[in-house]
Amino acid sequence: MTTDKQIISLMQEEAYKPMSYKELEKHFGIESANEFKDFIKLLNQLEESGHIVRGGSDRYGVPERMNLVRGKLQAHAKGFAFLIPDDREHPDVYINAHDLNTAMNSDIVFVKVTSRSQGGGRMEGEVVRVITRANTQIVGVFQSQDTYAFVIADDKRVSRDIFIPQHSFNGAVTGQKVVVKIVNYPEGRSAAEGEVIEILGHKDDPGVDILAIVRKFQLPEAFNEEVLAEAEAAPDSITEEEIIGQGRRDLRSKRIVTIDGEDAKDLDDAVNVEILENGHYKLGVHIADVSYYVREGSALDIEAYNRGCSVYLTDRVIPMLPHRLSNGICSLNPKVDRLTMSCEMEFDENLKVVNHEIFTSVIKTSERMTYTNVRKLLTGEAEPELVERYAYLMEDFKRMEELAARLRSRRMKRGAIDFDFEESKILVDADGKPTDIVKRERSVAEMMIEEFMLAANETVAEHFQWMKVPFLYRVHEDPDSEKLMNFMEFVTNFGYTIKGKGNAIHPRALQTLLEEIKGTPEETVLSKIMLRSMKQARYDAQSLGHFGLAAEFYSHFTSPIRRYPDLIIHRVIREVLESGNLSDTRHEYLSSRMSDIAQQSSERERVAVDAERQTEALKKAQYMLDKVGEEFEGIISSVTGFGMFVELDNTVEGLIRLSDLTDDYYNFHERQFALVGERTSKIYRIGDEIKIRVARVNMEEHTIDFELLDMKPRKEGGFKRGGGGSGKPFKGAAGFKGFRGKPGAAASNGQGKSGKTGKDKGGFAVKGKGGYANAQGKKRDGAAAGGVVDANAGQGRGKRRRGDAVDGLAVNTGPAAASQEQGRRKGGAARRLEEAAKAGVEGAAGARAKGAGVEGAAGARAKGAGVEGAAGARANGAGVEGAAGARAKGAGAEGAAGQSKPRRAKAGGTPWSDSRGKGRGGKARGPKLSEGGSLSQRLESVGAGRTDSGVPRGESKRGRGAVSLGGEAPAGGSDWASGVNALAKGGRRRSDDGDDSKKRRR
């Protein structure tokens, strides 16, 4: 039988010429009617999924051979978007707002490349077909206009409101938060049309805010009846017949304990430590055998696959499995028999694993311990009754502490990176209103479990890697060399150095830096920027190693209750243990499934972490709502061209806008991430401690504005702006590490002339409150750029400690992540403007840069295009626009005061080409949609069923929407992370391996 891999492999061959279905039928030697029917269905499936394309004359080929790129659309709040190609080697493609052709954020689409830069690195294109719709529902606020209404989407990447006709109100009234089903997708100047399908309540009602986030990310709350029925069929207890019949090893006589948070209910791991006669340590890690109850192909299994992982929001948990299993028979509750998968490891005097076993077992835990109680017992802080109650376990806890300390020391010596971030927990009342934000403590008890889970995960991964069986691994690839070089350059501003060059940097060098900055004001900031300079951990069917843990082999084995990959590898382990080996057929099947499971798990993980981050930002904003006017001390966590972000001791972060710094005009110096006053030479840089007052809280955007205390009014006319325009270096900058003022650097214009105030073409227009419109540099990355490190090595501990939970939880600093990471730039404003005039710059928070362009705002991606500034500024042609909302057109920059009037670029002009080779109004050049052929008649004769795979826009239902090979088409043819957990957890965001890297991995 012909497989999809055979078809795609054939079409990817260089010698392949597009074939019709008859030619393909002949090539594969298909004879029988049933075989032909299956073959045609397979062709249809591959076409509908976008893996192959049917072009003119019903000939098939792969998209890349037809000038089409398949990938996911990443939209920006200002309307444009970028295609993130499936092919990691292919550069991202910029999509103008007019060329989206009904596609929306996160849709899987085909894009035709319409123009590219000379080097081929920067591309522009148009969407020619939407393969998979990611947005079928939108959550937002209902605004009635009597006979019609609009829904303002909560997701700002949905840049246009959803039109609701009167007959689709379904009882909604103004101010209510609603869920809208999209009926018609946006086309041209027309907005999307929708129908209200659920009213969540008034936007200010208790609980509606979290419910809206749940609906926004389409997180499944309830389980269907079939899933619940299977869960109810699970037993409440284990029988001796089960234990004996399965040949499980009986460990019920051993002193085994669980150690979790006080509020944890799904206990999926237990541990014990012994000293052998030869003096070696023996560590036992026992994990709930969830795979025994969740069988392959069952409704429970399918639901767990679709969910991917449990999601932990502030006041609720959306579990991967029903509570009947997760809190019942699968949970390792104390003093009851439970089925487990065990990994026992023997460590010699050098902490090398000299022997290990992986087997099915049955245990009965002695106690359900909490982190708090174990910490108190080991530090001598325990009350007498606590000491008395757990006296018989004290020796075990001391052995655990000793072994964990030695394991950690060994791991640090080999070069593992240990990010020790402070985490917060938001406490809420019965109505979901935040009452307090407290820091999570990372005590000796947490670190003990941390080390034991790491050891088990590495041992299991290595064991099955050598067995050559299909498996899932947790991988964290080496950082992008340019991003790491930028970080190395940045830390010199603080007087630190890192040994190594680019990818030649060993993780040990980064860990050494973390140890050097321990306890310093800049510790948190530098740690977070380091984390952002790395790639994001993900799941993969290949063992590619884990950079952050300095581990050659790594997997997620320890949390099958809340992570699907763990459940899958448990299933593989069980099968290997029971049969001794996998049959060829089974081996081939599992191998074909692993890549898909890895991708699905990684994607679901990112969805979950995005939901968790938005929930946290929402609750922090709510908490600060009644703190407006109060004063706090904080540390500058980020400096940008439009202000600086300050993080308070309770981890809340807010922005001090440049326009609110009224005692001077401040220039942003990107290499040093500093704001420098022109008159006073006062410097604000990352790591500085300052006192602030809460000024504003925006509950729509979940953002907080701060203001500096005792800010004196700005003296108009008392000094000249221009920073270095007088030809003299800064005064008072001598104490600023790594900073050297250059004559004319701060106020030179786009033509290299210094001392101007922005009236000349291309210069800075700096009059007015809010500083000047600053070109942010050639390349600039923001918070999300580059992805982040695996933030929890699989320990999966408690609400915020699911190994895959928050890859880069530490990165979740909201807007403070803005522009922390920078590309290579030319120093001096004049040189920056000159460069920007060639490529265009956009500098907002969370930006991602590609090629020579930088794009800001909300993690969007810009590629070499003339882009937009941080405060809604607009750039056309090759212009540059700064952070203060200035508009740049043509080759000049126009500042905030609007003094200059440079040559205007053509409205709607393209960033990278004078002519995009196509007109507007929907007459885009693109692949032609074919009419189909005689295929339907033949299929009817063999009973193959439906053959069409989609209806092209603008062509009614005449054909299948095939793409021609070069023709034209009508327009319109997307555990918490602390310490090492910050490295072992998986971020659920899309992985970036460097905005300027040619090779991008997820």
Side-chain angles (χ1 to χ4, degrees):
M1 180 178 175
T2 307
T3 65
D4 54 354
K5 286 187 177 180
Q6 289 175 317
I7 295 173
I8 294 173
S9 295
L10 169 67
M11 296 181 182
Q12 287 176 335
E13 293 177 2
E14 289 189 18
Y16 175 80
K17 301 296 182 184
M19 295 183 184
S20 66
Y21 75 90
K22 292 182 180 180
E23 292 168 329
L24 289 169
E25 173 191 0
K26 184 177 180 181
H27 175 86
F28 288 109
I30 296 171
E31 297 179 355
S32 69
N34 287 335
E35 193 177 0
F36 173 74
K37 185 194 311 182
D38 292 337
F39 177 70
I40 294 299
K41 286 181 178 178
L42 182 58
L43 281 179
N44 277 338
Q45 290 171 4
L46 289 173
E47 184 183 356
E48 289 175 358
S49 65
H51 290 94
I52 66 174
V53 176
R54 185 165 63 90
S57 303
D58 283 334
R59 296 183 179 274
Y60 292 89
V62 287
E64 54 267 30
R65 302 284 293 275
M66 299 182 178
N67 194 30
L68 297 177
V69 185
R70 183 182 188 272
K72 178 179 285 190
L73 204 67
Q74 190 173 81
H76 188 281
K78 294 175 183 176
F80 58 86
F82 285 89
L83 180 79
I84 313 302
D86 291 344
D87 180 2
R88 297 173 186 172
E89 305 290 334
H90 196 288
D92 295 348
V93 183
Y94 171 82
I95 314 292
N96 189 285
H98 299 289
D99 297 325
L100 289 174
N101 296 336
T102 81
M104 299 176 71
N105 184 60
S106 294
D107 285 351
I108 305 299
V109 299
F110 274 143
V111 164
K112 179 181 179 181
V113 177
T114 56
S115 65
R116 64 184 71 209
S117 63
Q118 287 185 343
R122 299 189 299 275
M123 299 183 182
E124 183 176 357
E126 59 179 320
V127 175
V128 296
R129 176 185 160 194
V130 177
I131 300 170
T132 305
R133 293 282 185 188
N135 302 276
T136 57
Q137 297 179 183
I138 299 292
V139 178
V141 178
F142 190 86
Q143 295 288 346
S144 176
Q145 306 291 330
D146 294 333
T147 58
Y148 63 92
F150 285 98
V151 169
I152 305 168
D154 288 352
D155 188 348
K156 301 309 173 186
R157 292 171 296 187
V158 179
S159 56
R160 288 188 283 183
D161 300 339
I162 312 297
F163 174 78
I164 311 294
Q166 190 173 27
H167 62 81
S168 298
F169 286 11
N170 293 333
V173 297
T174 296
Q176 287 184 329
K177 191 81 77 169
V178 298
V179 181
V180 173
K181 177 184 176 181
I182 297 181
V183 177
N184 294 310
Y185 286 86
E187 183 175 354
R189 296 183 179 275
S190 301
E193 181 180 333
E195 173 188 3
V196 175
I197 60 173
E198 184 180 5
I199 299 172
L200 304 180
H202 192 274
K203 60 186 180 67
D204 297 327
D205 288 347
V208 170
D209 48 8
I210 299 293
L211 185 58
I213 291 176
V214 171
R215 293 291 188 273
K216 174 182 175 181
F217 290 97
Q218 299 185 33
L219 300 175
E221 286 188 288
F223 292 95
N224 64 46
E225 292 183 3
E226 187 179 3
V227 171
L228 292 175
E230 286 189 4
E232 287 299 322
D236 293 320
S237 59
I238 298 162
T239 64
E240 288 296 324
E241 289 75 13
E242 278 185 290
I243 298 169
I244 297 171
Q246 297 174 48
R248 291 179 177 268
R249 190 175 303 182
D250 194 340
L251 304 179
R252 288 176 288 184
S253 61
K254 292 181 177 290
R255 288 197 302 271
I256 299 174
V257 298
T258 59
I259 306 177
D260 289 272
E262 281 80 353
D263 55 354
K265 295 181 177 62
D266 48 354
L267 314 178
D268 53 10
D269 58 87
V271 295
N272 71 301
V273 174
E274 304 171 15
I275 300 291
L276 302 179
E277 291 182 0
N278 58 6
H280 291 178
Y281 286 101
K282 184 178 182 180
L283 168 64
V285 175
H286 315 280
I287 309 300
D289 193 356
V290 181
S291 65
Y292 177 75
Y293 299 99
V294 181
R295 297 292 181 168
E296 184 176 9
S298 65
L300 278 168
D301 182 48
I302 295 170
E303 184 72 11
Y305 168 84
N306 290 332
R307 295 188 177 217
C309 59
S310 298
V311 185
Y312 295 83
L313 306 180
T314 304
D315 61 352
R316 70 195 69 188
V317 177
I318 300 175
M320 184 179 78
L321 297 172
H323 291 298
R324 166 85 177 175
L325 293 177
S326 61
N327 296 358
I329 193 66
C330 291
S331 183
L332 305 183
N333 298 327
K335 304 184 188 304
V336 293
D337 293 347
R338 288 292 183 260
L339 303 182
T340 49
M341 191 77 72
S342 295
C343 176
E344 289 188 340
M345 297 151 279
E346 179 182 340
F347 297 92
D348 66 10
E349 56 277 2
N350 297 317
L351 274 296
K352 181 181 179 181
V353 178
V354 294
N355 188 27
H356 73 273
E357 284 187 278
I358 301 168
F359 53 90
T360 57
S361 57
V362 58
I363 68 170
K364 179 187 288 186
T365 57
S366 302
E367 296 287 352
R368 191 269 199 232
M369 302 299 300
T370 65
Y371 293 128
T372 302
N373 286 344
V374 173
R375 173 185 59 80
K376 289 181 177 179
L377 290 168
L378 290 174
T379 58
E381 302 172 12
E383 299 81 3
E385 55 271 20
L386 200 64
V387 174
E388 182 180 354
R389 179 179 175 184
Y390 299 119
Y392 76 106
L393 292 173
M394 277 305 300
E395 289 302 316
D396 293 343
F397 292 146
K398 289 178 180 178
R399 280 196 297 270
M400 290 181 188
E401 181 184 20
E402 183 181 355
L403 175 59
R406 295 187 61 189
L407 285 173
R408 174 181 165 77
S409 176
R410 179 175 177 272
R411 189 165 54 82
M412 292 298 102
K413 286 179 181 178
R414 82 182 183 194
I417 306 173
D418 188 4
F419 290 101
D420 190 9
F421 295 114
E422 289 184 335
E423 290 188 325
S424 61
K425 180 178 181 180
I426 303 173
L427 305 179
V428 297
D429 60 20
D431 292 329
K433 182 180 179 181
T435 57
D436 198 5
I437 301 176
V438 297
K439 288 187 177 180
R440 292 178 182 267
E441 182 182 13
R442 186 192 182 202
S443 69
V444 61
E446 279 92 345
M447 288 188 281
M448 268 172 25
I449 296 300
E450 205 171 83
E451 295 300 329
F452 296 161
M453 299 303 112
L454 284 170
N457 285 335
E458 290 184 42
T459 301
V460 169
E462 183 172 5
H463 180 94
F464 286 94
Q465 165 68 13
W466 290 116
M467 287 194 70
K468 304 295 183 184
V469 298
F471 214 64
L472 284 178
Y473 299 91
R474 186 69 173 176
V475 301
H476 178 225
E477 295 154 291
D478 291 348
D480 174 71
S481 57
E482 187 170 358
K483 292 170 71 65
L484 209 48
M485 289 297 291
N486 292 334
F487 174 70
M488 293 171 66
E489 179 183 354
F490 173 69
V491 299
T492 60
N493 294 314
F494 295 85
Y496 301 104
T497 57
I498 301 175
K499 296 180 181 178
K501 294 182 179 179
N503 276 349
I505 295 178
H506 192 276
R508 184 182 298 109
L510 300 176
Q511 176 60 28
T512 300
L513 173 64
L514 292 177
E515 292 170 357
E516 287 183 29
I517 63 177
K518 189 77 174 175
T520 63
E522 61 267 20
E523 177 187 5
T524 301
V525 173
L526 291 183
S527 297
K528 290 178 180 178
I529 297 177
M530 181 192 296
L531 196 61
R532 294 180 197 126
S533 70
M534 299 181 187
K535 293 178 184 175
Q536 190 176 37
R538 58 185 176 85
Y539 296 105
D540 201 285
Q542 304 297 320
S543 180
L544 305 177
H546 200 294
F547 177 82
L549 295 173
E552 186 176 358
F553 310 99
Y554 196 71
S555 66
H556 273 173
F557 165 75
T558 54
S559 295
I561 290 178
R562 43 186 175 258
R563 287 193 306 234
Y564 192 70
D566 303 54
L567 174 59
I568 286 296
I569 69 171
H570 274 230
R571 189 174 290 156
V572 173
I573 293 171
R574 162 191 299 285
E575 196 164 342
V576 171
L577 291 177
E578 290 178 351
S579 62
N581 210 338
L582 299 175
S583 66
D584 291 343
T585 303
R586 184 62 175 165
H587 192 286
E588 183 180 351
Y589 171 75
L590 288 174
S591 297
S592 67
R593 290 279 295 135
M594 288 303 170
S595 293
D596 172 66
I597 294 172
Q599 181 175 350
Q600 163 74 1
S601 299
S602 297
E603 289 176 357
R604 294 306 304 169
E605 182 184 49
R606 289 164 198 152
V607 169
V609 80
D610 281 347
E612 290 172 357
R613 287 174 175 171
Q614 287 200 19
T615 303
E616 186 174 326
L618 164 70
K619 292 302 177 184
K620 284 184 175 180
Q622 282 183 351
Y623 178 73
M624 299 301 290
L625 198 56
D626 59 359
K627 307 292 188 297
V628 173
E630 295 187 21
E631 299 175 0
F632 298 89
E633 291 185 356
I635 184 172
I636 298 176
S637 57
S638 176
V639 179
T640 73
F642 53 86
M644 55 188 174
F645 292 91
V646 178
E647 183 176 329
L648 307 184
D649 187 55
N650 61 5
T651 72
V652 170
E653 195 169 48
L655 170 67
I656 298 178
R657 300 180 184 276
L658 204 64
S659 57
D660 290 333
L661 297 176
T662 56
D663 64 334
D664 202 346
Y665 288 95
Y666 287 88
N667 296 333
F668 173 52
H669 295 272
E670 55 201 345
R671 285 184 177 273
Q672 291 74 29
F673 279 103
L675 293 174
V676 182
E678 296 185 2
R679 176 176 58 86
T680 62
S681 292
K682 184 185 292 184
I683 298 171
Y684 293 106
R685 65 170 185 171
I686 290 177
D688 287 350
E689 295 180 357
I690 58 175
K691 293 184 178 181
I692 61 91
R693 179 186 297 110
V694 181
R696 294 171 292 275
V697 176
N698 185 334
M699 288 308 301
E700 296 294 327
E701 303 289 341
H702 305 158
T703 57
I704 304 166
D705 283 0
F706 295 155
E707 59 187 9
L708 284 173
L709 299 184
D710 304 322
M711 183 56 61
K712 297 180 180 178
R714 183 178 288 149
K715 295 181 179 179
E716 294 296 335
F719 58 94
K720 291 183 179 180
R721 294 165 297 151
S726 62
K728 297 179 181 180
F730 284 101
K731 291 182 179 180
F736 184 36
K737 291 181 181 178
F739 178 80
R740 297 291 182 270
K742 274 191 177 184
S748 47
N749 60 30
Q751 307 300 320
K753 300 176 183 179
S754 61
K756 303 294 183 181
T757 60
K759 294 183 179 181
D760 290 344
K761 182 179 180 181
F764 285 138
V766 291
K767 285 184 179 179
K769 188 174 182 181
Y772 58 90
N774 184 7
Q776 296 293 336
K778 186 178 179 183
K779 300 167 186 166
R780 159 71 51 80
D781 242 11
V788 274
V789 187
D790 197 354
N792 176 16
Q795 294 83 319
R797 312 290 310 165
K799 275 194 175 181
R800 303 286 301 179
R801 278 171 74 293
R802 305 180 319 285
D804 52 9
V806 187
D807 191 8
L809 171 64
V811 177
N812 180 23
T813 58
S819 304
Q820 285 282 22
E821 188 172 339
Q822 55 193 6
R824 294 177 182 169
R825 306 174 182 82
K826 297 182 179 181
R831 296 169 71 183
R832 289 201 303 277
L833 269 179
E834 182 181 0
E835 185 65 23
K838 297 176 183 177
V841 177
E842 173 170 281
R848 303 195 50 179
K850 286 275 184 179
V854 177
E855 167 177 273
R861 302 172 55 124
K863 293 192 57 172
V867 286
E868 299 178 301
R874 304 191 55 179
N876 288 324
V880 178
E881 191 169 43
R887 301 190 53 165
K889 297 190 176 182
E894 178 173 321
Q899 294 141 311
S900 62
K901 294 185 179 179
R903 178 174 57 85
R904 293 176 63 88
K906 185 178 179 181
T910 66
W912 307 313
S913 60
D914 294 330
S915 174
R916 300 173 57 199
K918 65 181 185 64
R920 292 295 176 195
K923 296 181 180 179
R925 292 180 184 174
K928 188 176 181 179
L929 303 179
S930 78
E931 295 290 330
S934 60
L935 181 59
S936 300
Q937 290 89 344
R938 179 165 184 193
L939 282 171
E940 286 178 9
S941 68
V942 297
R946 179 180 180 273
T947 64
D948 60 288
S949 60
V951 181
R953 283 196 317 106
E955 295 205 5
S956 183
K957 295 187 178 180
R958 294 182 300 160
R960 292 172 56 193
V963 180
S964 71
L965 307 180
E968 294 192 5
S974 215
D975 325 63
W976 76 184
S978 60
V980 72
N981 291 349
L983 286 167
K985 228 181 207 182
R988 298 188 183 101
R989 283 183 116 172
R990 178 188 165 276
S991 170
D992 323 305
D993 65 349
D995 298 276
D996 304 298
S997 68
K998 294 182 180 178
K999 187 173 184 179
R1000 178 179 50 74
R1001 296 182 176 86
R1002 283 195 264 269

